[in-house]
Amino acid sequence: GGKVQLINAPEKFVQKCANADEAEVQLGKLGRDRASSQKVKDFADMMAKEHDKSRKDLLEHFKNLKIGVAATPEKEHKDLYDRLSKLEGAEFDREYMKAQVDMHKQTLDFLQAHAKSDNAQIREWSTQAAKHVQDHLKKAQEIQKDLK
C-alpha cells in the first residue's frame, strides 16, 4: 500500500477510526439494500453490524480520554457512497466488493503501521483490529473472485 500517515494523537486516531467505521456501516446498509447477489447482501449486512460494534469497542477502549466522537465518513468515502448509490444489479455487486477490498487493504495498512505506535493504547487497538480487518479482507476477496 501507499505510505501511511502516522497519527500520534489518540484523539485524532480515534476520530479517524470512527469515521472509517461509520463509512462501512453506511456502505453496508447500502449494500444490503442494493446488492443483487445474496453473498454480497450477507457480506454488506455483516459489515454494517461488525463496524457498528467496532466503533463502540473503539470508544470503550479509549474511554479514559473522555472524547466525544461524532463519526462522519471522510470525503473519499462519501464520494464512494454517492457513486455506488447510482449503480444497481451485478454492476453494483462488483463495484461494492471492489471498494470493500480496497478499503480493507487501506485500513489494514493503516492499522499495521499503527501497531508500532509509541502510544500503547493505539498499539493495542491496532493489533487487535487488524485481525478482524484481515478476516474481512479475505472474505471480500473470496466473494470478489466469485462475482467474475
Side-chain angles (χ1 to χ4, degrees), residues 26-27 29-31 33-35 77-89 91-93 95-96 99:
Q26 291 184 14
L27 287 164
K29 288 176 178 166
L30 180 71
D33 294 342
R34 294 195 79 95
H77 295 147
K78 278 204 189 82
D79 293 346
L80 172 67
Y81 185 98
D82 292 343
R83 188 168 67 77
L84 289 175
S85 65
K86 297 183 179 81
L87 305 176
E88 47 196 48
E91 192 186 8
F92 175 89
D93 294 352
E95 290 299 315
Y96 171 77

Side-chain angles (χ1 to χ4, degrees), residues 93-103 144:
D93 294 352
R94 273 196 308 274
E95 290 299 315
Y96 171 77
M97 289 315 303
K98 180 185 180 309
Q100 284 299 309
V101 169
D102 291 345
M103 279 173 82
Q144 194 184 31

Side-chain angles (χ1 to χ4, degrees), residues 115-133:
K116 303 179 179 78
S117 170
D118 295 336
N119 180 293
Q121 268 184 305
I122 291 180
R123 230 175 17 245
E124 286 158 14
W125 176 260
S126 298
T127 304
Q128 160 198 329
K131 295 190 183 87
H132 293 291
V133 172

